[in-house]
Amino acid sequence: MNNSRKVNFGIPKLEVLHQNDGSIIIKNIITPDEWPSNIILKLMHWSTKTPETIFLAQRNHSNLWEKISYIETLKKVKSIAYFLLNHRLSEKRPLLILSGNDINHALVALACLYSKIPYSSISPAYSLFEDDLDRLGKIKEILSPGFVFADDGKKFQKAISKLVPENKALVAKNPLNENYLIDKIVNQNLDVDLKKADTKPNDIAKFLFTSGSTGTPKAVIQTHQMLCSNISMATKAYEFIKEEPPVLVDWMPWSHVAGGNKAFNLALYNGGTFYIDNGSPNPNDFAKTVKNLTDIGPTWYFNVPKGYELLVTEMSKNTLLAKSFFKRIKLFVYSGASMPNHVFKQMEKLSVKYTGEKIFFSAAYGASETAPMTTMPTYRCNFPGNIGVPQFGTEMKLIPFGDKFEVRLKGPHITPGYWKDEIQTLKSFDNDGFFKIGDALKFHDKSNPDLGFYFDGRLSENFKLNTGTWVSVGAVRSKILNAFGGIANDVIIVGEDQEFLSAIIIPNIINCAQIAKLDYSINKQDILSNNKLKNKIIKILKDYKNKTESKSQYIKRVIFFSHKLSRSKGEITDKGSINQMAFILNRNSLVKKLYANKLKNIINI
């Protein structure tokens, strides 16, 4: 039985308008359900309706699940809010959260929302890596924080000293000031009678930092309306969530929009349970994710493609994990990078094996500036990449750009701009008020927009060959990554002002070793220089060339890159995805040597 698991989705209705200048306006005229002025109202709602339901859970030091109910969460949030209000914090003196996902992080963030104090969750790497302290200094210049939170005062001491005077840091352990220990504050004020702040839709809820290839941070303003309208859109799209509160097991960092807005708020908005996954999609931490998913079967699951790749590999040999994972799952969602076709198909096969049904596997598209969800499919796709149609109440403008379209967006979930950066804010909106997200899309079928769109690369990533031909980097990268199958974890496409394209392969050493018929524990360079692997790459490149219509998409030269990517230089994000522009900028000499044919183990066709 290969039918699809039946789940209910909201049905969009599109209005399409063709403009005289060649642009196309596509609007989803079905509006989302009414949303609250502050998502804290949902915490208060569930604290009354289902007070004992577990809202948050995390592993404790004994590796057991520590859990907190909705009513317990609200009591602690009020206590922390009472403390914060006494420190006169505001949008001009917000609170910064320096450490990663945990229950205390969530409580502090919710306390800020309760008391109308803007906050910003910062990537822990900014505080813990020496190279990133300068970036933290730039964040201080932009936000002028009045207080910080960190899980460990000693661990984050350097960052705390750099950011705030008098060690004004609320911490979970190793306090720099005994009066700022979070458990002490909660116990002192647990029964406080505190009135929720009167929040207006355009009040600032939080700041999210986004960086370009240079690593210069920008503070994206997130209003309460953005958070609430966007999660209302998501709930209308994921209609099945209303039938059963969602259960999430999620690692996505709360310093990023996907984890901190979409995943976390989806659970809160709908009275669900959020299990904080202390793992991540890298070999050192993935065993934790496996243990967590073996314990708890989610109903709604979100990950980046690399996470799914590790997951299908593990589930192929781990029956206990697979049975738990598929037991009650309704939907898989991915974003952040292209989904390799072989991973998509493996996930589908495993779904059928363990459930007898295909599970809806959906892309999602958005950015920090869109809160994030701005498109999604509401129909099952037989292959990866379709990002669906504009979300409920969202308007999309498509500007012709060669054989593709630049996409611009409008809706209640769009940011008003960047904090203390009027120039960048003005540049980011067109005369009609559409946000210029900087991406290209293409139709699945231009005659039928209801069939959705495909992401077609960042406009800033695209470049010209010396022939004057534009290269759509996103499209080439996706195609060649699929062609390589499991050989490559990722590829970087290069060739600006050159005669032809080349690719720098980030290898999957285990799969490369299997092709080379070698033990993957031996020296990496012995594996990557193996003739069996080299011949396999040559065959893939020739087959890819024969199937490719345009010379601007040929890959004539490749090389493996097996060194560690630099997080501090922006080459790899907290989500595990690679910033192509940052890599090329940092490794410019490597690219020059590649084109001069002066590197060992270059593969040419």
Side-chain angles (χ1 to χ4, degrees), residues 41 58 71 89 105 167 189 197 205 227 318 328 334 396 398 432 436 453 479 528 535 541 555 557 574:
L41 291 171
Q58 67 184 12
I71 189 66
L89 302 178
H105 180 146
N167 291 326
N189 304 312
L227 302 187
N318 187 333
R328 52 182 179 175
Y334 69 92
M396 174 190 288
L398 299 171
D432 296 321
K436 297 188 283 188
F453 297 84
K479 288 177 182 178
L528 299 178
N535 291 336
L541 291 175
I555 305 290
R557 183 172 294 172
D574 290 343

Side-chain angles (χ1 to χ4, degrees), residues 107-164:
L107 293 174
V108 172
L110 291 168
C112 288
L113 294 174
Y114 190 101
S115 50
K116 208 167 73 169
I117 295 170
Y119 74 95
S120 183
S121 295
I122 306 297
S123 169
Y126 289 13
S127 299
L128 299 178
F129 294 114
E130 200 71 36
D131 290 350
D132 272 352
L133 285 177
D134 286 342
R135 201 180 314 192
L136 201 64
K138 292 176 183 176
I139 289 173
K140 178 183 178 180
E141 288 178 21
I142 295 169
L143 292 187
S144 303
F147 224 86
V148 301
F149 166 77
D151 62 358
D152 188 326
K154 185 177 180 181
K155 184 178 178 182
F156 286 85
Q157 187 169 6
K158 278 188 178 180
I160 291 167
S161 299
K162 190 176 187 71
L163 287 169
V164 288

Side-chain angles (χ1 to χ4, degrees), residues 494-603:
V494 296
E496 185 169 10
D497 295 328
Q498 301 291 339
E499 186 178 346
F500 57 87
L501 293 181
S502 297
I504 300 169
I505 303 174
I506 310 298
N508 182 314
I509 291 295
I510 294 176
N511 290 343
C512 288
Q514 289 176 345
I515 293 169
K517 299 190 183 304
L518 296 171
D519 187 332
Y520 73 86
S521 62
I522 69 171
N523 186 283
K524 286 183 181 180
Q525 295 309 316
D526 289 341
I527 296 171
L528 299 178
S529 61
N530 180 270
N531 281 333
K532 289 188 180 69
L533 178 61
K534 180 179 179 180
N535 291 336
K536 176 72 172 178
I537 293 289
I538 291 172
K539 182 179 186 309
I540 289 171
L541 291 175
K542 287 182 176 179
D543 289 345
Y544 169 75
K545 179 181 178 180
N546 291 334
K547 295 175 184 177
T548 303
E549 296 177 0
S550 171
K551 290 183 179 180
S552 66
Q553 296 185 22
Y554 293 173
I555 305 290
K556 294 188 178 182
R557 183 172 294 172
V558 302
I559 191 167
F560 286 109
F561 183 87
S562 58
H563 303 290
K564 189 174 181 180
L565 294 165
S566 173
R567 188 181 297 274
S568 65
K569 292 181 179 179
E571 292 178 347
I572 187 167
T573 71
D574 290 343
K575 295 183 289 185
S577 58
I578 293 175
N579 184 327
Q580 302 249 331
M581 292 179 67
F583 182 96
I584 294 169
L585 184 68
N586 296 333
R587 313 280 179 176
N588 188 47
S589 61
L590 173 70
V591 175
K592 287 181 178 179
K593 289 178 182 177
L594 175 63
Y595 275 93
N597 215 11
K598 292 183 178 179
L599 294 170
K600 289 183 179 180
N601 299 321
I602 287 177
I603 301 173

Side-chain angles (χ1 to χ4, degrees), residues 23 36 71 84 109 257 271 292 317 325 332 361 393 399 443 556:
S23 64
I71 189 66
L84 295 177
V257 69
N292 294 333
K317 58 188 179 184
F325 184 75
F332 311 132
F361 202 170
I399 312 292
F443 286 90
K556 294 188 178 182

